[in-house]
Structures are given as structure tokens and as C-alpha cells.
Amino acid sequence: MREIVVLSGKGGAGKTSLSAAFAHLAEDAVVCDLDVDAPDLHILLDPKAEQTREFVSGNEALIDQTLCTACGQCLDICHFGAIKDDNGQMIIDPTRCEGCKSCVVLCPVQAIEFPEKHCGEWWISDTRFGPMVHARLFPGEENSGKLVTLLKNQARDLAEQRHAELIIADGAPGIGCPVISSLARADLAVLVTEPTPSGLHDLQRVAKLCLHFRITCGVVINKYDLSTEYEDRIEAYCREHGITVFGRLPHDPIFTQAMVQRKAVTEMVGQEADNTIGQDIRRIFERIVQFHKPQTATSSV
Ligand code: SF4
Ligand code: SF4
């Protein structure tokens, strides 16, 4: 079983469109959306939930007002300013509570409970392309890296149960904690970029991350015809660091049309000039699947 993670240093480069297309083209894969803060692969894949689970992580303090004597001791112990005196009633702001438990231990009448925090939900679903594991973190909740790890483990278990050969994961944009978690144990990172100054800059950041963690990576240049200069610069960067360019895709409105129709680009057969983009993506996907040779990380990126 191999795990391919599709990443981009920034949003809007075409990462999710390509992930959906790869999910369509793969004959035997488990699909996984690792963008738990702002997931959108479900919009294209229309998953039907078969299992729904709560994601609980960390703890939060809650005052039982029937026990609280309003002594005020917890006000002083909380270094995060999470406890307020509201006209003689002590209340805790859950957005400020860091779950340090100091107030729970201090309270002389054990009026502060410390339940696990319900931070989001995750699902195992069925799609027209096969099984999908995905999640949504509630707004403002943390621990997205932990949820990403949970999803990856679920996807692996599912792939083993179904003897699937491939996991296709749509990673989070950027280079933060959920992206680092996305890379753990991945066999290959496909980095989607576009030939613009920010595209090159963000590609360099995410490629540096992959090389730091010794994860083999390759690049797809989307909308390559936007700028010959920056396409050349991306290719030069890839050459310099031993990164394979899997392929290039031109700027094409069929991406938007597929999104509006909630389809993968490769499903748009017979539409818009016989969907040559779909054929280009198929060739890129075949190269990716055939790509086995590990790369050597360079020291200065
Ligand atoms: S320490 Fe306990 S009893 Fe005192 S104000 Fe806080 S919650 Fe209420
Ligand atoms: S658990 Fe810690 S951060 Fe939360 S309210 Fe109590 S003292 Fe403040």
C-alpha cells in the first residue's frame, strides 16, 4: 500500500481539483481529505456517511454553579484570563481556557469539572470513487494535527481491510502543523503549484518541508501558461533540488466548470474540446503511480 499526499504551499493552486481527479482515475484507492480546518473535497466527491464519530481532544474547565461559592480563588490562579467574575458569578470563557487544570485542582469545593472537549467530527463515507475518510474541526478549535493523524490511521486501516493499493490524501494548504502531520509516513508528496511569484515562493516552502522530513516529492505546474518566466524558474528550482516535474497543465475554465457541476475534471468527458486536460491529468497520474525511485534530499534548499 502506498500513500500519496497532494499538497500546495497555498490555497487555490488546484490541489483539491487534482486530488478529486486522481481519486477518479485510481482503480483501487482510499481517499482521504486531510484539510480538516476547511475541507472541500467532499463538495466534488459527494460522500455518503457510513460512520460518524466525534473528535474529542484535550479538556476544558466548566464551573458547576450549584457548587461554586464565588470565593474567587480560581480568578487569580488562571494565567490565561479565562475566568471572569460576572456580577458575582464565576464564568469560564472556553475560547481562552487552555485546559491547564490549575483551577480544577485549586477549587476548595470541587466545583470545576474537566470534561473532554468535543472539537469536531470525522466520517468514513462512501463515494462514487470508493471509500473516503474526512473530518471537520469546529471553528476555532485546535489540535488539527492530531485529527489529521487520526484520519491517516483510519485510511490505512480501511486500505488494509479492503486490500486497497493506494491512499490518495488531499492535504491542507500551507506548511503548518496539519501539513506536517499529513506528511508522516507518506510515500510521495505531489506538490501543486502555479507560475507566479507567490506560487514559486510557496512551492519552495513546502518542498523544503518535504526534503527536511525526507519525503519524496514531485511537482505539477498548474496554469503553466500564465508565465513562461515563472514556469522556467519553477523548473530550474526543481532541477537544482532533484525534484521531478510530473507534468504541466494549462489554464482552462474546465476546472471551474467541473467544480460547478461537482465533478472531477476527468469526469468531464466529451465536454469542452474532448477534455484534453483530462487526458493530461491521466498521463500525470500514471507517472505518479509509476514513480518509485526515492530521491536524495539536498542540503541547501
Ligand atoms: S475556586 Fe471554585 S468555588 Fe471558588 S470561585 Fe472558583 S469555582 Fe467557585
Ligand atoms: S483550566 Fe487552566 S486555563 Fe482553563 S480556566 Fe482553569 S486555570 Fe484557566
Side-chain angles (χ1 to χ4, degrees):
M1 179 210 313
R2 290 195 307 144
E3 182 180 327
I4 296 171
V5 182
V6 185
L7 295 173
S8 63
K10 72 186 220 3
K15 173 178 66 62
T16 298
S17 290
L18 276 185
S19 297
F22 294 165
H24 173 224
L25 296 173
E27 290 174 0
D28 184 18
V30 170
V31 182
C32 191
D33 189 353
L34 300 178
D35 186 354
V36 298
D37 290 292
D40 54 6
L41 188 58
H42 65 282
I43 296 169
L44 300 178
L45 268 51
D46 191 24
K48 307 284 183 286
E50 294 185 333
Q51 294 181 41
T52 303
R53 302 277 171 82
E54 288 184 355
F55 173 60
V56 291
S57 182
N59 297 75
E60 62 182 339
L62 292 172
I63 296 178
D64 183 342
Q65 299 296 344
T66 64
L67 297 177
C68 176
T69 60
C71 71
Q73 292 184 49
C74 56
L75 279 176
D76 301 327
I77 194 78
C78 182
H79 292 292
F80 301 97
I83 305 178
K84 299 266 184 303
D85 182 343
D86 185 20
N87 293 322
Q89 187 179 60
M90 302 302 152
I91 55 172
I92 295 177
D93 179 352
T95 62
R96 285 182 160 235
C97 175
E98 294 286 330
C100 72
K101 209 180 176 181
S102 302
C103 58
V104 181
V105 174
L106 175 88
C107 178
V109 294
Q110 289 79 51
I112 306 181
E113 298 166 359
F114 201 53
E116 281 189 317
K117 200 171 181 183
H118 181 194
C119 298
E121 292 187 328
W122 61 273
W123 301 272
I124 294 177
S125 299
D126 190 34
T127 76
R128 61 191 182 283
F129 304 145
M132 175 177 179
V133 184
H134 53 124
R136 179 180 292 278
L137 205 60
F138 294 151
E141 294 296 351
E142 296 174 357
N143 286 325
S144 52
K146 189 177 171 184
L147 182 53
V148 166
T149 301
L150 185 153
L151 292 184
K152 283 171 67 82
N153 290 339
Q154 289 297 326
R156 279 190 172 259
D157 289 349
L158 205 56
E160 276 173 17
Q161 287 164 24
R162 298 186 178 224
H163 305 291
E165 292 182 0
L166 208 55
I167 296 172
I168 296 171
D170 182 16
I175 59 165
C177 178
V179 177
I180 293 169
S181 299
S182 300
L183 284 172
R185 296 202 294 167
D187 296 289
L188 175 67
V190 176
L191 313 181
V192 184
T193 187
E194 57 187 22
T196 60
S198 63
L200 174 60
H201 172 262
D202 294 331
L203 170 68
Q204 288 170 336
R205 293 197 314 161
V206 74
K208 191 172 181 178
L209 197 67
C210 291
L211 295 170
H212 175 78
F213 288 111
R214 297 185 182 277
I215 302 292
T216 305
C217 63
V219 165
V220 176
I221 307 174
N222 195 15
K223 306 173 195 166
Y224 74 86
D225 42 354
L226 281 183
S227 164
T228 305
E229 180 196 345
Y230 274 91
E231 186 201 0
D232 290 346
R233 288 176 70 166
I234 288 171
E235 294 201 6
Y237 174 80
C238 290
R239 263 196 313 278
E240 186 184 343
H241 297 289
I243 297 171
T244 297
V245 177
F246 289 126
R248 299 152 193 80
L249 296 167
H251 183 46
D252 195 309
I254 200 169
F255 277 89
T256 309
Q257 291 159 8
M259 255 181 251
V260 170
Q261 295 185 34
R262 302 187 66 182
K263 285 182 174 178
V265 178
T266 43
E267 287 182 288
M268 303 287 279
V269 179
Q271 299 184 36
E272 298 302 315
D274 295 329
N275 192 2
T276 52
I277 289 273
Q279 293 161 25
D280 291 342
I281 295 175
R282 185 179 291 276
R283 276 190 287 276
I284 288 171
F285 183 64
E286 284 167 0
R287 285 196 75 189
I288 289 169
V289 170
Q290 295 303 322
F291 188 80
H292 287 290
K293 203 173 89 182
Q295 289 168 273
T296 305
T298 50
S299 54
S300 59
V301 183

